[in-house]
Structures are given as structure tokens and as C-alpha cells.
Amino acid sequence: MCGIVGAIAQRNVVPILLEGLQRLEYRGYDSAGLAVVNSGQLQLVRSTGRVAELSEKSAETQGQLGIAHTRWATHGVPSERNAHPHLSNDHIAVVHNGIIENYEELRSRLTAGGYVFTSDTDTEVIAHLVHSHYARGNSLLVATQAALAELVGAYAIGVIAADDPERLICARRGSPLLLGVGIEEHFVASDVSALLPVTRQVVYLEEGDVVELLRRSYRIFDASGKQVERTVQTSELSNESVELGQYRHYMQKEIHEQPQALANTLESVCNSQSLVPGIFGAEAAATFADIDSILILACGTSHHAGLVARYWLEAIAGIRCSVEIASEYRYRASVPNPKTLVVVISQSGETADTQAALSHAKAQGHGHTLAICNVPESALVRLCKLRLLTRAGPEIGVASTKAFTTQLAALFLLTLILAKTRGHLTGQQEQQYLHELRHLPSAVQKVLDLEPQIAKLAERFANKQHALFLGRGLHYPIALEGALKLKEISYIHAEAYPAGELKHGPLALVDKDMPVISVAPNDALLEKLKSNLQEVRARGGELYVFADADTHIHAADGIHIMQMPEHAGYLSPILHTIPLQLLAYYVALQKGTDVDKPRNLAKSVTVE
Ligand code: G6P
């Protein structure tokens, strides 16, 4: 999704801007651009290609003050004219992440006032608004503050003026933005990873902050306009660029990293003899003792992790749990309960809807909050009282894989610790679960060994238009996740159903052209599932079954079996996810899609 990088320095900032953009590429974008101030003029370069193309086009461009952007289209198609930065009268340049909701009204007013719009974006109104205030003799800071006061919506912005080479103004409301503090140089970015080559000293801006960056100093003003101090932190993120190594795509690499990612996430627990609430933070024990229910809020794949956790939390910890899609919850009138623990799950920790859902929950009086997140310094982690970091490492592929399975591991830990707190776990059960968790990475490794067989199976999907995924109970969310993976990267329309629902509608779709993929763990629902599979077979549907050992489901005409190495009890959803990830990956290879950057999708969705 959109990324921002800006710099003011004593040296040419173009290479810094380009490297920053390159480091944000994985988030997904469709065009990119930069603007620098040079000898009282703005130099603008934009491109609809990759950052590498922008880099070629910028060969002659230089300046000591500049802003840059990767765009993910919301208002207006991906094109050079819609790419950022946007200029007003060749004088003001703006980059923007977020969405301006009242842009139509502002656009009409500005057009009536003589401003000419050259793009279809909402961002261009910001450039003209700043210009209108700047032209009245205000400083760039005051002009930007005045413009922001007229905006409704979400933004992180960077602003520069052709005749002011000494200043970069930036601001945030609803979209992430941080400052990088260097020696006689300052930076701004939407994601810390963009700045790691130049500084680790960062200041995370708060809602409504407006900042004036000079070379030697900076001033931060809060939402009320008061000058404030914000803490400078040293980022702990690794600066190592993520290499593909022996793999063809990041998604394939990340699928294979799962044993290690799980081992890392579970490390502290697996090395100890007992489960303690402290892994969630100092206040966890007191919080867990005070709660009577759980509310999980998340989007996309993270939401699927929450759906699995609901089964665990209710079955093992005996605690009521509801799971909601963040974008729904944030606008729904719901009944708050101060004894609910609100759990937000997010790979990036920056997803706009999940952040807004958390704020909504807090505004409703929910004080107990926990983030399960893969990015230690992200907004969600900072905004929650408790946290558990998944240690999957950077996830680059847009389709989430290792983040999902590590989220499941983290949620299983939450389940066990709540079960223990609530007296639902005997010492013997605790030891048994710890044993199973220690074994989990090697169990996942064994499932990965199915890769060649799954690659072969995928050939049968290359010409399919639709696919149906079935699961039951704990594995219904895994069917959902399998369908999501397939549609995200192979563009095959895929739906998931709890197998018992089949006869209430989707069975009408089943014929010889509809592949039906079923997750078949050896659990209490196995016999029920087998009957559902018969219903499919009887209608001529082609079945692909991922079956645990001893399920006694046999290959036959129209029934393809992938034998899972073992049954992992409650941890089974983690194992059953792996072959579905591999299936989606190999089907996408068959279809020749851009696996790591599927069309129209973004890694971090920082707009609503
Ligand atoms: C995007 C990504 C998905 C991800 C979802 C939620 O749609 O493409 O892979 O599951 O956002 O992201 P989060 O970072 O909050 O887990």
C-alpha cells in the first residue's frame, strides 16, 4: 500500500528517497514518484513501473530536500498523472497516504477559485489548499496546518515548497508516519524499514501531529497546535535486506520458513517448564484475572486466525469468545463489556480498519487490550496494554503465510494461559501441551515434504474457474484461509463452506468441473465430514482431500488423497494450513501470476 519517504539533508537526498521506496515495495503499489527542490524549482519524476524504473528516470535529478511516494490506487486509475507527488502551480509538492473524504467538496471550491486539477486523486486538493494558504503569505508550516484543518478523513503527508529549501512539513492523522533523526539531517517515512539505511533514531508521531523538519532541528505540534516533545527511540528492527536465496518467490520462502518462525515465536515458552501470563506483559496476570470474555478484531488472514482461536478459547479455556471483522465492528453499535479482553491480530500492526476498531473498542470503555502482531514497533503494539509478538520475521509476499501460522501459535498460548488462570488446565495437561508445542516445528517440516506431490496436483487446477473448500469445526477457518490464498494469488474464484452447510446451497454448484478441496483431520467430526464428501462425489464433483493418517479415506476415481503425516490434536489447524498454502502457490505458478504482488492487492492496508 502507499508509502512515504522524505528527507532534508546536506547531501543529495535522491538516493535516500529511492532506497527508502525500494524498501517499501513489498507493501504493494502501482506507481511511484519523487519531487526535490533544486535552485528554487521543483523537479518532479513519476512512473507507473517499479521503483527501479523511477530510479532510471531520476538519474539527472538531485536536491537536498525531497519527498517520495509509492501509490496504491484509490481515487483514480494507476497512471503517471495520478502518481504522487502532486503539485500546485509548480510551487507546492505533496505526498499523501490515506483518504480525504470531503475531497469532492474541496475540489469544487478550489476549482471555482481558479485552481486547475491535473489528476483524479483526492490528494491534489491538499496541494492546492496548502498553496492557497501559502500564497497569502503564511509560512509553509502555518499554510499546511490551515489546510489540514479543512480536511476530513485520514492522512499522512509530506509537503515541500519550491522557494523554501530549508523546510519539510509532515503530518499524520489516521495513517502511520514517523521521523528519522540523523546528524544534521532529518527524514520522514510511513514505515521504519524505509529509514534503516540512514538512521535508527526514530520518533513515532501521534494522531494529529504536525512537524516542521529543518536540517539541524525539528518541531512537533500536537493536534491542538501546542509544541510538544516526543520520545526518540532506537529502532530494533534488523536492517538486513530480505534475500530470496534458493527460492523462486518470497511466498515460497516464507512457507518454508514456518518451522523456524514457529520455533522463534514459541521459544520462550518451549524453553520453560510452565506457562506464565508474563509473556503478554507485566499487567497480564491482573488483566486475565479480571476478564470474562474475549473479543477478537482483525482483517483478512488475521481474522481467520481469530476464527480458529474462538474454537480453542471456548473449548480449552472455557471463556466466551467472539470474532469480528474489524471494518464491520468499527461501525456497528455493539454492547460493550468492560470485562472483555479485546484482542487485535495483525501481521503489520498498521492495518487501518484494525486500528480504527481498536480505537472504537477503547472509546466504548474497553480497557483490556492485547495485540498479537509481527511488527514490534507498529501502531497496534504501541496502542495496546498487552502484547505478544509473533517472531515470523519480515513477511514480504502479499499473501500471508508464516504470519498466519505464528499468529495461531500465539493464540494457542493465549488459550493455554487463560485455561490455566481459570483452572481449566491440570499440570499434566500443561506438560502435554508444552510437549506438543515443542514438537510443532518438526511436524510442520514433515508436512512441507509434501511439496512435490502438491506441485503435481496443482497442474489439475490450472484451467479451473472455481473451487470449493470444505472444513468442519476447528478446520472450517482453515478452509476459509485455503480459499483466500487460492483466490488472492491464482485469481481462481474460491469459496469455503463448513461441510455441513453444503446441502443448503453450494451443492447446487457441484459438477465435474468444480474441484472440491477438503480438510479432513482425524477428529470427532471425521465421520460427519465423510458423509459430506459422499454428497459431493454423488454429484460428480472431483474431490481433493487432505487427510490425516487413519482416516480411512481412500483414493478412488474422482477422489485424490493427500496423506498428512500425523494428527496434531488441537494444533491440527496449523498443520492443515501448510498444504493449502502450497496448493495456492503452485496453482499460481501454473497460471503465471505475479505471486508475491498479486494484482490489486496490498500488503499493509493503511487506508479504510
Ligand atoms: C491485507 C493483506 C493480507 C492481510 C490483511 C490484514 O489484505 O494482503 O495478507 O491478511 O491485509 O493485514 P494485517 O497486517 O492486519 O494482518
Side-chain angles (χ1 to χ4, degrees), residues 141-142 145 148 169-173 179 205-213 218-230:
L141 172 67
V142 171
Q145 282 172 318
L148 295 179
I169 308 297
C170 54
R172 70 153 286 195
R173 183 185 295 278
L179 306 183
L205 296 180
E206 294 189 9
E207 280 293 278
D209 281 355
V210 181
V211 188
E212 181 183 53
L213 289 175
Y218 61 88
R219 293 191 293 165
I220 304 179
F221 301 88
D222 70 7
S224 69
K226 194 166 97 212
Q227 193 173 337
V228 287
E229 296 291 322
R230 302 260 181 252

Side-chain angles (χ1 to χ4, degrees), residues 13-232:
V13 297
V14 172
I16 299 171
L17 299 178
L18 288 168
E19 176 158 14
L21 290 188
Q22 223 145 34
R23 298 171 73 92
L24 298 180
E25 274 195 305
Y26 76 94
R27 297 164 69 102
Y29 67 105
D30 44 50
S31 53
L34 60 84
V36 290
V37 172
N38 190 341
S39 314
Q41 306 245 318
L42 283 171
Q43 292 185 352
L44 176 69
V45 190
R46 297 186 290 190
S47 150
T48 50
R50 294 276 165 221
V51 173
E53 191 182 309
L54 182 72
S55 191
E56 277 168 31
K57 287 177 89 173
S58 312
E60 305 293 311
T61 313
Q62 54 172 302
Q64 297 176 349
L65 165 64
I67 49 178
H69 191 261
T70 45
R71 172 174 188 255
W72 187 77
T74 54
H75 294 78
V77 296
S79 65
E80 220 166 273
R81 60 189 279 277
N82 286 333
H84 301 213
H86 287 287
L87 267 50
S88 179
N89 292 310
D90 287 332
H91 212 86
I92 299 290
V94 173
V95 286
H96 164 226
N97 287 355
I99 287 181
I100 304 306
E101 289 168 13
N102 59 338
Y103 89 103
E104 277 172 343
E105 171 197 327
L106 292 169
R107 191 175 167 124
S108 311
R109 200 184 84 202
L110 288 159
T111 307
Y115 281 100
V116 178
F117 280 77
T118 57
S119 78
D120 309 315
T121 65
D122 52 340
T123 302
E124 199 178 349
V125 300
I126 309 178
H128 293 317
L129 269 182
V130 173
H131 184 272
S132 68
H133 292 287
Y134 194 61
R136 279 180 222 138
N138 291 304
S139 69
L140 191 59
L141 172 67
V142 171
T144 307
Q145 282 172 318
L148 295 179
E150 298 182 67
L151 302 181
V152 177
Y155 55 77
I157 58 163
V159 187
I160 54 176
D163 64 346
D164 190 351
E166 301 301 325
R167 209 164 321 269
L168 194 167
I169 308 297
C170 54
R172 70 153 286 195
R173 183 185 295 278
S175 281
L177 200 67
L178 58 110
L179 306 183
V181 181
I183 299 165
E184 304 210 346
E185 53 187 15
H186 287 110
F187 311 94
V188 59
S190 50
D191 183 320
V192 69
S193 59
L195 298 185
L196 292 178
V198 282
T199 184
R200 286 189 166 274
Q201 302 301 109
V202 295
V203 178
Y204 289 98
L205 296 180
E206 294 189 9
E207 280 293 278
D209 281 355
V210 181
V211 188
E212 181 183 53
L213 289 175
L214 310 181
R215 286 182 181 76
R216 294 198 171 84
S217 64
Y218 61 88
R219 293 191 293 165
I220 304 179
F221 301 88
D222 70 7
S224 69
K226 194 166 97 212
Q227 193 173 337
V228 287
E229 296 291 322
R230 302 260 181 252
T231 319
V232 180

Side-chain angles (χ1 to χ4, degrees), residues 299-303 345-351 354 380 395 397-400 407 484-485 488 601-605:
C299 303
T301 288
S302 298
H303 172 250
I345 309 172
S346 175
Q347 187 286 126
S348 62
E350 302 291 353
T351 302
T354 312
L380 281 177
E395 191 180 65
V398 163
S400 186
Q407 284 166 351
L484 177 63
K485 289 287 89 90
E488 271 181 312
L601 299 180
K603 183 74 186 154
S604 292
V605 182

